[in-house]
Amino acid sequence: MSASAMEQLYQQVILDHYKAPHGRGLLDADASHACGESHQLNPTCGDEVTLRVAVTPVDGAPRIDSITWDGQGCSISQASLSVMTELASGASVAEAESLGDLFRDLMATRGKGLDDDDAEDRLGDATAFTGVSKFPARIKCALLGWAALRDALVRTGTVGEAQATASAAHTTPSTTTPNPEEQA
């Protein structure tokens, strides 16, 4: 496939996710799940998202039951949120964190891609953002949802806070949904 054809394919994937986003619309989590919520804002362009994640332990390993979000922003931020939701929903927290790390690595390639077919296969539609990584101002748009996911997972107690702090350095403080068990 030529470079031009690949670019067109990537642009179409981003547009498709922007027009029909996965996970859009915040839903209340079941009280039996650990729930975390994060609000992130990219102050450089105004992209904004509130993301809610529900996690349950499965065989001792936490698994993401649902990711829902509501936000506004450019097509890149909204499409990236959609792709992230599709990739991480149903995954173990460890797998979602691994995917987030791969996506952050992809965003650091300046358009060259990961040069690892297995890693790009794991990212699926997220590889469509390879071209975005050429533009530093747009990288923050693409990473907004991943930062929100990590922060929300920290709030469920399933991910260490040090990891979230590193990825959320460019965003505003987040909010938390109280755990129903803590309110009792």
Side-chain angles (χ1 to χ4, degrees), residues 29-35 177-184:
D30 187 314
S32 65
H33 295 74
C35 178
T177 298
N179 182 337
E181 294 176 12
E182 293 175 353
Q183 292 178 329

Side-chain angles (χ1 to χ4, degrees), residues 18-126:
Y18 175 66
K19 291 177 182 173
H22 296 264
R24 187 175 203 134
L26 284 174
L27 298 177
D28 291 331
D30 187 314
S32 65
H33 295 74
C35 178
E37 183 175 300
S38 177
H39 179 82
Q40 301 288 319
L41 172 68
N42 181 350
T44 59
C45 68
D47 293 341
E48 189 171 356
V49 66
T50 300
L51 181 139
R52 189 173 295 152
V53 63
V55 175
T56 58
V58 176
D59 298 328
R63 181 165 298 279
I64 297 173
D65 281 340
S66 68
I67 300 170
T68 60
W69 57 272
D70 197 15
Q72 60 187 17
C74 67
S75 60
I76 292 170
S77 70
Q78 304 299 287
S80 182
L81 275 154
S82 175
V83 169
M84 182 270 308
T85 299
E86 189 176 78
L87 280 173
S89 294
S92 70
V93 169
E95 177 63 11
E97 279 293 290
S98 175
L99 290 167
D101 289 342
L102 282 177
F103 191 75
R104 284 181 274 279
D105 290 346
L106 178 69
M107 289 297 100
T109 66
R110 298 186 183 261
K112 296 177 184 166
L114 291 174
D115 199 27
D116 179 343
D117 291 342
D118 291 335
E120 291 190 351
D121 286 347
R122 288 180 58 210
L123 286 176
D125 282 354

